[in-house]
Amino acid sequence: MPQLDTSTWLVTILAMILTLFILIQLKFHKYSYPLSPAPKTFKSTSFPTPWETKWTKIYSPLLLPQQ
């Protein structure tokens, strides 16, 4: 059985890594990113809730009369 020639593997792997690095860099270079991103302002919509218009009292169990 013939011996597997592995002498070119290092060059092949390094060339593949270099090619992938260049392709990824070119892909990222296509995008344009803003220099100073500003926060988006969202319009807050408030929905009226029933407890906003009513007066409610929260009773603490310690303040209730002893039974």
Side-chain angles (χ1 to χ4, degrees):
M1 192 180 255
Q3 191 71 21
L4 184 63
D5 184 22
T6 60
S7 63
T8 60
W9 284 12
L10 178 66
V11 175
T12 306
I13 292 171
L14 289 177
M16 178 189 65
I17 291 172
L18 181 66
T19 306
L20 284 174
F21 177 75
I22 291 172
L23 287 175
I24 290 171
Q25 291 297 318
L26 288 173
K27 196 148 186 84
F28 283 140
H29 186 69
K30 280 196 311 188
Y31 299 111
S32 61
Y33 297 104
L35 295 177
S36 59
K40 266 190 171 179
T41 55
F42 293 104
K43 190 175 12 171
S44 64
T45 56
S46 63
F47 300 102
T49 53
W51 56 83
E52 285 180 357
T53 56
K54 295 180 186 175
W55 179 83
T56 57
K57 186 173 183 179
I58 300 172
Y59 290 97
S60 173
L62 299 175
L63 296 177
L64 292 175
Q66 297 292 324
Q67 293 183 3

